[in-house]
Amino acid sequence: MVHALSSRVLLRPTDPDRSRAFYGRTLGLEIAREFGTGPERGTVYFLGGGFLEVSGRSAEPPSPALRLWLQVADAAATHEELRAAGAEILRPPVQEPWGLIEMWIADPDGHRLVLVQIPADHPLRYRPGI
């Protein structure tokens, strides 16, 4: 059995400085730690209950299969903030048939991020007995 104590997503961007600018300035993610030196140094961002590490460099295009799911408190406000910051908005906030409010953005390499607001009455917020 694997007893995972922590986890993180490892992202190998084609342009590390550009990706650090996106995740650090455009999205405003807080830095958990940094390591190494030079343009390919590593930066680890807090990502809610996990971490996102941007390090190294990839010569390959991103996989279209990868999606990052980030819960936000207010999708409409997040949409306005990211639009003003110049983020690539793929789709503005929409309430899905399953009840979540989702918007989609892309990072500089084209990785898709799904930003999700969970409404107060959604079953994901329901905890029996509480």
Side-chain angles (χ1 to χ4, degrees):
M1 281 288 214
V2 173
H3 182 71
L5 301 176
S6 182
S7 65
R8 67 177 65 170
V9 174
L10 303 176
L11 192 64
R12 303 290 187 248
T14 58
D15 183 337
D17 285 333
R18 182 180 67 177
S19 290
R20 272 192 290 278
F22 174 78
Y23 288 101
R25 287 197 296 272
T26 303
L27 285 186
L29 296 179
E30 295 291 330
I31 294 174
R33 71 180 289 256
E34 295 181 285
F35 57 91
T37 59
E40 295 176 32
R41 68 191 179 279
T43 305
V44 179
Y45 297 96
F46 286 107
L47 200 59
F51 299 94
L52 172 67
E53 178 181 316
V54 176
S55 63
R57 183 182 299 267
S58 175
E60 303 295 321
S63 168
L66 176 70
R67 301 285 190 271
L68 295 176
W69 191 96
L70 306 174
Q71 182 180 345
V72 299
D74 184 332
T78 301
H79 175 255
E80 291 306 315
E81 290 169 3
L82 291 175
R83 192 174 55 130
E88 182 182 358
I89 309 291
L90 301 175
R91 193 185 81 178
V94 172
Q95 184 149 19
E96 300 291 356
W98 47 89
L100 299 176
I101 300 168
E102 297 183 4
M103 67 176 282
W104 298 355
I105 64 172
D107 82 355
D109 280 323
H111 293 107
R112 291 185 178 213
L113 287 80
V114 183
L115 304 176
V116 179
Q117 176 183 340
I118 302 172
D121 61 346
H122 193 276
L124 283 176
R125 291 194 184 262
Y126 175 69
R127 293 189 269 168
I130 295 179

